[in-house]
Amino acid sequence: MDFSSDTVLAAAARQIEEARADKAKRPSIAGFFDEATNTVSYVVHDPATNVAAIIDSVLDYDAAAGRTSHGSANLIVEYVRKNDLKVEWLIETHAHADHISAAPYLQSELGGKLAIGRDIIRVQDVFGKLFNAGTDFQRDGSQFDRLFDDGETFRLGTIDAIALHVPGHTPADMAFVIGDAAFVGDTIFMPDFGTARADFPGGDARELFRSIRRLLALPEDTRLFLCHDYKAPGRDEYAWETTVGLQRTGNVHVRDGVSEDEFVAMRTARDKTLAMPKLIMPSVQVNIRGGRLPDPEDNGVSYIKIPVNAV
């Protein structure tokens, strides 16, 4: 990709540089780590107005019992209320395969618009067929309040924000640059752990490489906030914040000097060794519905389908 012709990336870079020069344009960020799913959720807010966004929330799910609960989400609720924040956005970086979103619960408690990338429609189509969801399941993204396109801008209070399409892990992955901070979902992990897998339906290792290199063309001091951490060998603490510069010099999979073909060969071989995420069937099935469970059947109970020998 010729980054010099990427007007969306240039706009994001200008926004980041302006925020680095003006502290008032930088958001306040709190991370909430869910060890059961190795997921980090974020509350991001504008200190000047207390307007907030919640990114990649987690609904607790006991797969053996088929029970949901709100322990992780309630930590966010408590934080928002304690700090008198006004939630305007509930953002999903993509339809997660490793945890169920708590966005509908948080929306009922705190308000806000539920948002995701427009290509969720492609994911809904693929997985709607896999789960035989039927004609009642709308495959038009209407379960969400806002579908973001690449380069679409919005504001968090007084702070500028821009959406970047970064497919590869899934077709619908988005990164959200808010002030000087980029929330990059599952595209990339801490430098010592590498990058996301690309073998889910619609995933593509070559697209993932190009998306990551797009992100790494942002200014070196751009703060990157990750959706997951698994503690790389030799590291004892979980971590989820890094920078573009540290990724470019140290990412074990995609640092400067690694070619696209080298990355695709590595990623393809590595993905063949990985088991499916433990919660992929319930997670994707619910998350393509905006985090809502399938409609209850005539006995008042919602059911999650498990396709047998279909994946």
Side-chain angles (χ1 to χ4, degrees):
M1 180 183 292
D2 179 5
F3 294 117
S4 64
S5 66
D6 190 334
T7 57
V8 172
L9 197 71
R14 286 194 299 272
Q15 174 188 299
I16 291 164
E17 295 289 13
E18 289 172 3
R20 298 300 294 170
D22 183 354
K23 187 176 180 180
K25 296 182 178 181
R26 301 179 211 164
S28 177
I29 301 164
F32 296 81
F33 186 72
D34 178 62
E35 191 164 0
T37 62
N38 294 91
T39 302
V40 193
S41 305
Y42 296 98
V43 177
V44 188
H45 80 271
D46 170 20
T49 63
N50 276 5
V51 170
I54 299 170
I55 301 176
D56 290 335
S57 61
V58 175
L59 180 72
D60 299 326
Y61 179 66
D62 181 341
R67 288 189 173 275
T68 63
S69 56
H70 302 109
S72 296
N74 280 336
L75 294 176
I76 291 175
V77 173
E78 291 168 10
Y79 176 86
V80 166
R81 289 177 174 163
K82 179 180 178 181
N83 291 281
D84 195 27
L85 303 183
K86 295 169 284 190
V87 175
E88 288 193 354
W89 294 102
L90 299 151
I91 294 174
E92 301 291 336
T93 55
H94 62 296
H96 304 275
D98 41 37
H99 71 273
I100 296 174
S101 170
Y105 171 73
L106 291 170
Q107 192 172 43
S108 70
E109 292 290 313
L110 302 170
K113 294 180 180 179
L114 177 55
I116 200 168
R118 183 169 300 280
D119 276 5
I120 186 62
I121 295 169
R122 292 176 57 192
V123 178
Q124 288 177 329
D125 184 58
V126 170
F127 283 98
K129 293 174 182 174
L130 176 64
F131 292 114
N132 197 28
T135 57
D136 288 341
F137 172 57
Q138 299 298 312
R139 296 161 170 82
D140 57 3
S142 58
Q143 299 85 350
F144 300 85
D145 301 310
R146 177 80 169 265
L147 301 180
F148 279 108
D149 292 304
D150 184 47
E152 193 167 352
T153 59
F154 60 107
R155 290 176 74 80
L156 190 68
T158 63
I159 295 175
D160 292 328
I162 188 167
L164 302 178
H165 188 211
V166 286
H169 174 61
T170 79
D173 279 64
M174 301 292 287
F176 292 88
V177 183
I178 302 174
D180 67 328
F183 299 85
V184 299
D186 284 16
T187 54
I188 199 166
F189 300 137
M190 290 299 289
D192 57 1
F193 200 87
T195 59
R197 64 195 299 166
D199 60 334
F200 296 149
D204 185 285
R206 203 166 293 277
E207 272 196 334
L208 179 61
F209 178 86
R210 295 172 184 174
S211 292
I212 291 171
R213 294 310 304 182
R214 188 185 196 204
L215 290 170
L216 298 190
L218 291 169
E220 288 193 356
D221 54 2
T222 303
R223 296 185 290 165
L224 300 183
F225 290 87
L226 318 178
C227 190
H228 297 288
D229 188 55
Y230 303 94
K231 289 196 295 190
R235 175 158 55 86
D236 295 328
E237 301 294 330
Y238 290 111
W240 47 82
E241 180 181 352
T242 181
T243 66
V244 164
L246 290 172
Q247 294 284 13
R248 291 185 63 176
T249 58
N251 188 282
V252 294
H253 292 167
V254 74
R255 63 189 176 275
D256 288 354
V258 175
S259 72
E260 183 174 316
D261 287 343
E262 289 171 332
F263 175 82
V264 170
M266 177 282 300
R267 190 69 265 170
T268 302
R270 182 177 175 85
D271 287 350
K272 289 178 179 177
T273 70
L274 301 177
M276 285 290 103
K278 294 178 182 178
L279 296 183
I280 185 171
M281 293 304 174
S283 295
V284 174
Q285 194 170 165
V286 173
N287 291 338
I288 59 176
R289 292 176 164 86
R292 299 173 185 86
L293 294 171
D295 290 337
E297 298 191 7
D298 56 10
N299 62 354
V301 177
S302 293
Y303 290 87
I304 290 174
K305 293 181 178 179
I306 305 295
V308 179
N309 298 327
V311 178

